[in-house]
């Protein structure tokens, strides 16, 4: 493979680590999990990630949007189930064989009517809201459907699902409540239909959260699904960026927009070719670091759109053309970076964007 263009950062994705994480999660769950590859595989590349998981035995993939589903079908070919969480109108998948998640009684009616009209039951998932108040049939819609299950005629329900709101907080009372609500509603509405329940963190909540198909996303990509404890997952992603220039400034000189850093002595400023347009969030300004030969180099001043500055004073070897590890390495995981700026590892990964050269390790 050719090297990165001059000045371009490299996002390296360890597909073998993703596969190892999927196997680990499936073993914990006691059944093969799905792979959630929405948002371009949490920013790391839906097609290569899904191909690697498919080769490892994963047969079910979740995306959020119809367009993501169509692109994934083109990448994977016929065979694996591809489920669109946000749903789509009957026929909109253009015979790509995608399964919609039905998120309201209106969705149920539209797809059931289409199935009855062409005499072919439509494969779909039924989403019951048990505490998110976001998508999924609400309590009144669930009651209406339990009352008249004939409204499901024309559908071939593959799974009935719900989604946990607080799975990363094991002691939160909503977890048990959602499990109870889901068990009761699934039995009343869709008895005998396989169930899909836990996301990544839900896989760690115990037997009440088991189902026929868990839907891990973040843990596949190395995000800690158990934030209160050590991360059981393998790390997956690193971003290395080239140093474009190194310069020396003296006391009183300032660095970057807003003169966000003022030198009080001679310091060396290393400018790297990545900024907030590359998902290195601007809220990291003045409060982050990158790694050089496994040592922490402090960020100085504000993160700009395409450039970020680091204090190279203690690193005489750090010269133009060197690379800094912007994301990844000990103490610099997506979760670590997120903690510095008040967000979550999911946002760090999904923000990475398309300007890095992507380099995949392992896989197929
Ligand atoms: C994103 C999503 C998942 C995966 O969640 P993680 O926390 O990343 O494991 C599972 N189910 C639904 C409905 C989702 O939207």
């Amino acid at each position: 493979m050719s090297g990165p263009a001059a000045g371009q950062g490299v996002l390296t994705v360890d597909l073998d680590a993703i596969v190892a994480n999927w196997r680990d999660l499936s073993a914990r769950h006691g059944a093969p999990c799905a792979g959630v590859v929405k948002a371009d595989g949490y920013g790391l590349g839906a097609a290569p990630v899904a191909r690697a998981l498919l080769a490892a035995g994963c047969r079910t993939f979740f995306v959020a949007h119809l367009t993501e589903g169509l692109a994934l079908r083109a990448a994977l070919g016929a065979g694996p189930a591809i489920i669109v969480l946000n749903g789509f109108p009957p026929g909109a998948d253009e015979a790509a064989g995608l399964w919609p998640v039905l998120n309201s009684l209106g969705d149920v009616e539209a797809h059931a009517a289409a199935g009855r009209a062409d005499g072919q039951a439509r494969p779909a998932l039924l989403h019951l809201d048990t505490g998110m108040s976001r998508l999924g049939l609400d309590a009144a819609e669930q009651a209406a459907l339990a009352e008249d299950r004939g409204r499901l005629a024309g559908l071939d329900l593959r799974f009935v699902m719900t989604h946990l709101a607080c799975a990363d907080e094991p002691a939160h009372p909503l977890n048990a409540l959602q499990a109870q609500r889901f068990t009761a509603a699934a039995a009343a509405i869709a008895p005998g239909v396989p169930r899909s329940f836990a996301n990544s963190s839900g896989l760690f909540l115990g037997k009440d959260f088991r189902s026929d198909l868990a839907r891990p996303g973040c843990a596949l990509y190395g995000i800690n699904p158990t934030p209160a404890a050590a991360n059981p997952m393998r790390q997956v992603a690193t971003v290395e960026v080239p140093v474009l220039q190194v310069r020396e400034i003296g006391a009183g000189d300032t660095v970057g927009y807003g003169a966000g850093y003022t030198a009080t002595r001679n310091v060396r400023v290393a400018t790297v070719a990545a900024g907030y347009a590359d998902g290195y969030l601007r809220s990291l300004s003045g409060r982050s670091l990158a790694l050089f030969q496994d040592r922490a180099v402090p960020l100085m001043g504000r993160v700009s759109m395409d450039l970020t500055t680091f204090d190279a004073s203690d690193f005489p070897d750090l010269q133009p053309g060197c690379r800094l590890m912007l994301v990844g390495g000990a103490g610099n995981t997506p979760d670590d970076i997120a903690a510095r700026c008040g967000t979550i590892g999911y946002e760090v990964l999904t923000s990475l964007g398309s300007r890095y050269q992507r380099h995949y390790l392992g896989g197929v």
Side-chain angles (χ1 to χ4, degrees):
M1 134 174 240
S2 62
Q8 196 181 14
V10 178
L11 166 61
T12 301
V13 179
D14 186 344
L15 295 172
D16 288 344
I18 293 178
V19 165
N21 286 338
W22 179 79
R23 290 202 169 110
D24 176 50
L25 295 166
S26 297
R28 285 173 198 274
H29 201 56
C33 295
V36 179
V37 296
K38 60 190 181 187
D40 195 27
Y42 288 48
L44 303 183
V49 168
R51 274 194 217 103
L53 290 174
L54 182 66
C58 181
R59 289 288 169 269
T60 313
F61 297 91
F62 284 84
V63 294
H65 290 266
L66 174 60
T67 50
E68 294 177 335
L70 293 171
L72 192 62
R73 177 62 77 206
L76 296 184
I82 298 175
I83 298 162
V84 179
L85 287 165
N86 290 2
F88 53 80
D93 64 331
E94 299 159 10
L98 310 180
W99 300 350
V101 172
L102 310 179
N103 286 308
S104 68
L105 212 43
D107 289 352
V108 168
E109 253 135 35
H111 285 269
R116 289 194 297 266
D118 61 16
Q120 185 106 43
R122 298 282 174 126
L125 277 72
L126 182 65
H127 183 184
L128 307 177
D129 176 25
T130 57
M132 280 291 266
S133 307
R134 209 173 55 166
L135 293 181
L137 277 69
D138 65 21
E141 291 180 310
Q142 292 173 31
L145 208 48
E147 192 97 325
D148 180 9
R149 294 196 335 234
R151 294 164 90 166
L152 295 169
L155 295 175
D156 173 10
L157 287 187
R158 298 300 171 96
F159 291 95
V160 56
M161 64 173 272
T162 196
H163 190 47
L164 288 159
C166 307
D168 58 343
E169 298 173 58
H172 199 292
L174 190 51
N175 292 321
L177 192 58
Q178 288 196 267
Q180 276 167 27
R181 287 174 175 162
F182 184 44
T183 303
I189 296 168
V193 174
R195 295 179 190 176
S196 176
F197 192 7
N199 64 341
S200 298
S201 295
L203 276 156
F204 294 80
L205 291 178
K207 63 173 177 32
D208 291 348
F209 298 84
R210 294 240 166 86
S211 67
D212 300 285
L213 184 69
R215 306 184 306 274
C218 75
L220 296 174
Y221 308 100
I223 304 279
N224 187 357
T226 59
N231 189 348
M233 312 317 300
R234 278 176 58 172
Q235 284 303 304
V236 166
T238 62
V239 173
E240 289 179 287
V241 290
V243 175
L244 298 178
Q245 287 194 9
V246 180
R247 68 181 58 196
E248 195 146 321
I249 61 173
D253 290 338
T254 64
V255 178
Y257 287 118
Y261 176 94
T262 305
T264 55
R265 57 184 172 95
N266 285 358
V267 291
R268 292 175 78 234
V269 184
T271 301
V272 304
Y276 59 76
D278 306 288
Y280 202 64
L281 303 173
R282 188 169 175 278
S283 48
L284 290 164
S285 295
R287 53 177 65 203
S288 194
L289 57 87
L291 299 181
F292 180 62
Q293 296 166 348
D294 298 328
R295 290 170 61 204
V297 187
L299 190 153
M300 62 191 344
R302 290 192 190 161
V303 179
S304 324
M305 184 184 293
D306 318 298
L307 300 169
T308 305
T309 40
F310 290 88
D311 184 349
S313 304
D314 295 338
F315 301 88
D317 294 346
L318 213 173
Q319 296 292 342
C322 291
R323 296 189 157 257
L324 285 187
M325 195 172 279
L326 199 62
V327 178
N332 199 36
T333 66
D335 286 326
D336 295 325
I337 293 168
R340 290 175 204 145
C341 64
T343 185
I344 53 177
Y346 298 66
E347 189 178 16
V348 171
L349 285 187
T350 57
S351 298
L352 291 174
S354 58
R355 289 206 294 189
Y356 301 113
Q357 175 170 344
R358 290 179 182 179
H359 181 208
Y360 291 94
L361 303 175
V364 283

